[in-house]
């Protein structure tokens, strides 16, 4: 977009002609600019705000950011911040929601994707119920720079593998997908380089892991998947759920189990459970992060 433009007029013959006087973008009324930029995504709005005073002022208009906020943003803000700020403009509210906001004693983070406005959530390993987590012969919580929570659960060896999680949250209307973020092998850094230890990795290729999902809307899905390539983080799809009412609270329960006691399994890092808008599955697949060999079976109770 240039720094100036020439105004077009229609002459007596009905043909466009260029006026002798030129106007700059700064001459546009802020309300006019705001009406245009509200159709752009937030990063582009912020870039245009650097052009001049008119675009900068328009970029703060409440009605521009009202269209970017989730429909139930007031409920979200109250849940995340504990109050609804009265003096903050809509752009400030959007900025706060785009940050990873922690709640439930630091075991959960929720944020709004700055490009799409979709609500995302991450539940840490410490926010999940893990069978045997208190016995250090089997599980350990270890520090990690590769986790949003700077900590993950590491399984050395166990026969009975079971992980469950639950959250109740006012998700905006839409369809969401649930993933377990897992890593075979223990990753670390040595001399500034990422390395991983496969010492305890075993048992995951014998029988598949079962992922299950339940919601308060009587939705249920299940799928089985063999854990694949070691040394990389993957998101394993546990199922999808739909939210129809923006003002309701949806309860989501998930589980991951491998309870065939004919063999032991170990060497697994469990970081978190992720809840994304379903459209994000294409992004994960494109980035090579999505890993599940079989599709989920979705049922209504």
């Amino acid at each position: 977009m240039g720094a100036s433009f020439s105004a077009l007029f229609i002459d007596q013959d009905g043909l466009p002609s260029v006026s002798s006087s030129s106007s700059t973008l700064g001459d546009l009324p802020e309300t006019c600019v705001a009406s245009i930029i509200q159709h752009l995504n937030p990063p582009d709005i912020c870039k245009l705000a650097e052009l001049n005073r008119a675009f900068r002022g328009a970029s703060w208009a409440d009605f521009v950011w009202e269209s970017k906020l989730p429909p139930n943003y007031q409920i979200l803000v109250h849940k995340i911040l504990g109050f609804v700020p009265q003096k903050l403009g809509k752009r400030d509210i959007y900025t706060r929601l785009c940050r990873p906001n922690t709640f439930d004693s630091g075991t959960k983070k929720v944020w709004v994707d700055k490009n799409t406005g979709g609500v995302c959530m991450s539940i840490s390993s410490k926010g999940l119920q893990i069978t045997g987590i208190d016995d250090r012969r089997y599980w350990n919580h270890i520090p990690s720079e590769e986790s949003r929570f700077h900590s993950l659960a590491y399984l050395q060896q166990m026969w009975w593998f079971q992980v469950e999680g639950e959250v109740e949250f006012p998700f905006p209307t839409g369809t969401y997908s649930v993933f377990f973020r897992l890593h075979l092998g223990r990753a670390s850094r040595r001399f500034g380089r990422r390395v991983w230890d496969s010492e305890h990795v075993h048992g995951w290729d014998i029988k598949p892991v079962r992922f299950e999902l339940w919601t308060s809307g009587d939705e249920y899905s299940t799928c089985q998947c063999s854990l694949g390539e070691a040394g990389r983080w993957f998101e394993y799809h546990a199922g999808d759920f739909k939210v129809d009412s923006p003002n309701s609270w949806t309860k989501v329960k998930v589980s991951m189990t491998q309870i065939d006691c004919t063999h032991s399994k170990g060497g697994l890092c469990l970081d978190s459970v992720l809840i994304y808008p379903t459209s994000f599955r294409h992004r994960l697949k494109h980035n090579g992060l999505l890993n599940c060999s079989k599709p989920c079976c979705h049922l209504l109770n």
Side-chain angles (χ1 to χ4, degrees):
M1 188 177 292
S4 64
F5 67 93
S6 297
L8 291 176
F9 295 89
I10 304 300
D11 63 14
Q12 294 180 348
D13 295 325
L15 298 175
S17 63
V18 180
S19 69
S20 58
S21 61
S22 62
S23 303
T24 67
L25 288 174
D27 295 328
L28 288 172
E30 284 186 10
T31 55
C32 178
V33 175
S35 298
I36 297 172
I37 65 175
Q38 71 170 323
H39 301 289
L40 304 177
N41 59 41
D44 288 337
I45 293 174
C46 294
K47 290 177 182 178
L48 287 174
E50 300 176 359
L51 282 178
N52 54 46
R53 184 177 300 176
F55 278 80
R56 185 163 55 252
S59 70
W60 285 93
D62 274 351
F63 75 87
V64 170
W65 294 96
E66 184 91 36
S67 63
K68 310 303 177 187
L69 287 165
N72 64 341
Y73 74 90
Q74 291 184 327
I75 299 176
L76 293 176
V77 170
H78 189 272
K79 168 65 177 175
I80 296 170
L81 303 180
F83 66 97
V84 179
Q86 300 297 325
K87 296 183 180 180
L88 285 181
K90 298 298 190 295
R91 175 169 167 167
D92 288 323
I93 293 176
Y94 189 88
T95 301
R96 287 203 179 191
L97 290 179
C98 286
R99 300 170 185 168
N101 298 278
T102 304
F103 65 103
D104 281 1
S105 302
T107 61
K108 299 178 180 68
K109 292 181 184 288
V110 64
W111 66 97
V112 169
D113 181 69
K114 64 181 180 180
N115 291 304
T116 65
V119 172
C120 308
M121 180 181 291
S122 180
I123 306 172
S124 76
S125 60
K126 292 184 177 180
L128 303 172
Q129 292 78 53
I130 303 175
T131 300
I133 190 64
D134 296 325
D135 193 329
R136 296 193 65 181
R137 291 175 301 173
Y138 307 124
W139 287 93
N140 285 287
H141 283 294
I142 61 175
S144 173
E145 298 177 355
E146 299 181 349
S147 170
R148 284 190 178 91
F149 300 92
H150 308 292
S151 172
L152 50 83
Y154 179 68
L155 173 65
Q156 295 186 99
Q157 178 173 303
M158 202 172 197
W159 296 82
W160 184 281
F161 178 84
Q162 186 172 29
V163 178
E164 296 178 333
E166 181 177 319
V167 65
E168 190 170 9
F169 194 78
F171 291 98
T173 55
T175 305
Y176 297 83
S177 295
V178 182
F179 307 89
F180 278 82
R181 187 170 188 259
L182 308 172
H183 184 288
L184 286 179
R186 181 169 177 171
S188 61
R189 289 202 168 271
R190 189 174 302 164
F191 303 112
R193 297 183 60 185
R194 185 183 190 274
V195 295
W196 62 280
D197 184 358
S198 61
E199 177 185 359
H200 299 115
V201 177
H202 70 282
W204 301 107
D205 56 345
I206 300 176
K207 292 288 182 68
V209 174
R210 177 181 293 275
F211 298 96
E212 294 179 280
L213 166 69
W214 302 263
T215 73
S216 53
D218 292 330
E219 291 180 285
Y220 170 73
S221 63
T222 179
C223 62
Q224 296 189 84
C225 182
S226 297
L227 303 192
E229 180 182 347
R232 293 182 58 194
W233 285 104
F234 288 106
E235 274 75 30
Y236 290 84
H237 184 211
D240 302 331
F241 66 93
K242 187 176 182 180
V243 178
D244 295 317
S245 175
N247 298 319
S248 64
W249 289 61
T250 304
K251 180 179 288 187
V252 180
K253 295 177 64 177
V254 294
S255 75
M256 174 184 175
T257 56
Q258 216 291 15
I259 54 179
D260 184 345
C261 293
T262 61
H263 66 282
S264 65
K265 36 264 172 187
L268 176 71
C269 288
L270 169 61
D271 175 43
S272 58
V273 168
L274 300 168
I275 302 177
Y276 289 144
T278 298
S279 59
F280 279 45
R281 285 169 59 183
H282 301 290
R283 185 186 304 181
L284 294 174
K285 186 176 182 179
H286 177 74
N287 293 332
L289 300 175
L290 187 62
N291 193 338
C292 197
S293 59
K294 296 183 179 180
C296 292
C297 176
H298 185 81
L299 301 171
L300 290 176
N301 292 338

